[in-house]
Amino acid sequence: MTKPTTYGIIGCGMMGQEHLRNIALLPNTEVGAIFEPNDQMRTESARFAPDAQFVDSLEELLAVDTLDCLLIASPNFCHVAQLQEIARIRPLPILVEKPLYTDPQDLAQIDEFIASYPASAWVAMEYRYMPPVAAFLENAADVTGGIKMLTIREHRFPFLEKVDDWNRFNAKSGGTFVEKCCHFFDLMRLTLGSEPVRVMASGGQDANHLNESYDGQVPDILDNGYVIVDFENGARAMLELCMFAEGAEYQEEIAAVGPTGKIEALVPGPGRFWPAHLGAAPTPKLILSPRAPKGPIEKEIPVDPDILDAGDHNGSTFYQHKYFLELVRGERSTPEVSLTDGKMAVLMGIAAQTSIQEKRSVEMSEIS
């Protein structure tokens, strides 16, 4: 057997541990070293990667000579500095969690990194790889005859607790429409095959975290909103986010409509949150609705139970790593989710938050 492809992991909180569980499902793959400063997260991570070496700094991790690639799953605000340190010390192929960056002032540094990083870098946009979403993407153009309208709805639970509560504040998370919704802005660009022109948004913090306080500070992250995006090709897209709607049967509902029909993907939330008294959790679905002849065609898109149980993203983290490993192993030449894709998703989130704050539409040319 050839040498296992060996990961170095940077950050092993909730999302990092999901990555560990999925890496363990992939053949001829191992975790060689982990940099995680939080003692509790170290203990949890050791359950999923018992043979990994724990180190006390990114520099020490990069000195482990067996590593073939890196995963960055640290808090959002750490990504830019860690990318720069990797570039300076040892440029290895990277899978970096979204969002790629959080602060608009970091854009120049991201552009420099994109232009100069000598190895491959892939931005972790898990939603692309949810099986019902992948089926949606594969069939959308044919069913619609060319998408004119795209709607993404996420009705879900509030932000979960993270290490040191970093996700409660815009300054560290980038804000809800960067932290959470960059996934959906990435899907918009991918589905429509076009670039955004302008963004108009309305949102607020109306139900979540209002009675919480951290070092005397009340969380300022938004918990709901609408975003409308106009694209260069004339298509338009809308995002509807509500983070106090965990009672919904499906967490994500994606619909595209064009001259010949409509296509929808329905994705349930994490199985561990589905109440036992309601029986089995919902099965993901794809619905095709041609204009003629009328009559929706509904298809179930089940996910392998072992893969489904390895995380909270409908199996997508497994498939993402499968394709990333093809890149690391030389079986594909370019990342499927580029640094530019990651950058644009953040810019759209920044535009949405700016629109909400300033109560106006925002031209993408203003912020890029």
Side-chain angles (χ1 to χ4, degrees):
M1 180 182 289
T2 58
K3 172 190 174 296
T5 303
T6 304
Y7 281 82
I9 310 293
I10 303 158
C12 267
M14 184 179 297
M15 193 62 209
Q17 290 167 38
E18 176 168 326
H19 283 288
L20 290 180
R21 292 192 295 271
N22 281 276
I23 290 169
L25 295 175
L26 291 154
N28 205 32
T29 306
E30 66 181 13
V31 175
I34 295 173
F35 167 46
E36 170 51 66
N38 182 274
D39 289 339
Q40 181 181 350
M41 295 301 104
R42 279 192 178 211
T43 300
E44 291 291 322
S45 300
R47 296 168 48 209
F48 309 117
D51 297 325
Q53 172 186 351
F54 283 86
V55 299
D56 295 322
S57 68
L58 176 53
E59 185 173 3
E60 188 178 344
L61 180 135
L62 294 171
V64 177
D65 60 8
T66 58
L67 302 185
D68 299 301
C69 59
L70 303 170
L71 165 70
I72 298 177
S74 55
N76 299 356
F77 63 94
C78 300
H79 293 176
V80 173
Q82 289 171 342
L83 288 167
Q84 292 175 322
E85 188 170 359
I86 292 164
R88 178 175 58 84
I89 296 175
R90 187 182 173 193
L92 288 169
I94 298 172
L95 177 63
V96 54
E97 261 298 340
K98 62 79 192 167
L100 182 61
Y101 65 104
T102 58
D103 190 333
Q105 296 186 21
D106 288 337
L107 181 57
Q109 296 176 75
I110 287 296
D111 283 337
E112 181 181 355
F113 184 85
I114 291 172
S116 62
Y117 193 66
S120 299
W122 182 309
V123 181
M125 291 292 188
E126 286 85 10
Y127 282 50
R128 289 187 180 205
Y129 302 104
M130 292 177 170
V133 176
F136 171 92
L137 292 168
E138 182 179 353
N139 290 278
D142 289 341
V143 172
T144 63
I147 300 169
K148 300 302 179 184
M149 300 177 69
L150 174 66
T151 303
I152 301 175
R153 171 188 288 169
E154 181 170 72
H155 283 189
R156 57 161 282 165
F157 49 89
F159 281 117
L160 300 174
E161 293 183 7
K162 297 292 182 74
V163 175
D164 296 329
D165 307 298
W166 65 265
N167 65 340
R168 293 301 196 258
F169 297 96
N170 292 333
K172 291 187 175 181
S173 72
T176 298
F177 286 90
V178 170
E179 146 59 26
K180 183 72 207 70
C181 300
C182 62
H183 276 305
F184 305 124
F185 299 133
D186 176 65
L187 283 178
M188 288 179 183
R189 290 181 63 249
L190 178 64
T191 305
L192 297 175
S194 185
E195 294 298 341
V197 175
R198 67 187 57 85
V199 174
M200 182 172 65
S202 174
Q205 183 185 9
D206 295 319
N208 296 342
H209 318 302
L210 297 172
N211 297 319
E212 299 175 10
S213 177
Y214 303 91
D215 296 326
Q217 301 294 313
V218 176
D220 59 0
I221 49 173
L222 306 180
D223 58 19
N224 73 99
Y226 294 99
V227 183
I228 296 174
V229 185
D230 290 334
F231 282 82
E232 288 178 352
N233 66 0
R236 57 189 57 86
M238 186 183 80
L239 168 66
E240 176 187 331
L241 174 73
C242 181
M243 299 189 68
F244 43 90
E246 60 267 42
E249 181 179 17
Y250 287 97
Q251 182 167 292
E252 285 87 27
E253 302 177 34
I254 305 174
V257 187
T260 62
K262 174 182 177 181
I263 183 170
E264 299 167 90
L266 306 181
V267 187
R272 65 192 176 103
F273 295 154
W274 186 253
H277 74 272
L278 293 179
T283 300
K285 293 180 181 179
L286 186 72
I287 304 172
L288 316 178
S289 301
R291 293 180 72 184
K294 289 184 180 179
I297 303 165
E298 188 173 298
K299 301 179 180 181
E300 292 192 343
I301 312 288
V303 181
D304 180 286
D306 291 336
I307 296 174
L308 194 61
D309 288 345
D312 288 341
H313 295 84
N314 203 243
S316 60
T317 304
F318 173 86
Y319 295 108
Q320 177 177 255
H321 276 283
K322 177 183 176 182
Y323 304 138
F324 173 67
L325 286 171
E326 291 175 359
L327 179 69
V328 175
R329 293 167 177 167
E331 298 165 7
R332 67 165 66 215
S333 58
T334 57
E336 203 160 75
V337 190
S338 69
L339 290 167
T340 298
D341 291 329
K343 165 190 163 180
M344 288 302 302
V346 171
L347 281 174
M348 293 171 73
I350 290 171
Q353 301 220 158
T354 301
S355 177
I356 291 168
Q357 182 177 359
E358 299 183 4
K359 296 180 173 58
R360 64 178 181 91
S361 64
V362 176
E363 300 290 319
M364 291 300 297
S365 58
E366 295 180 47
I367 59 172
S368 57

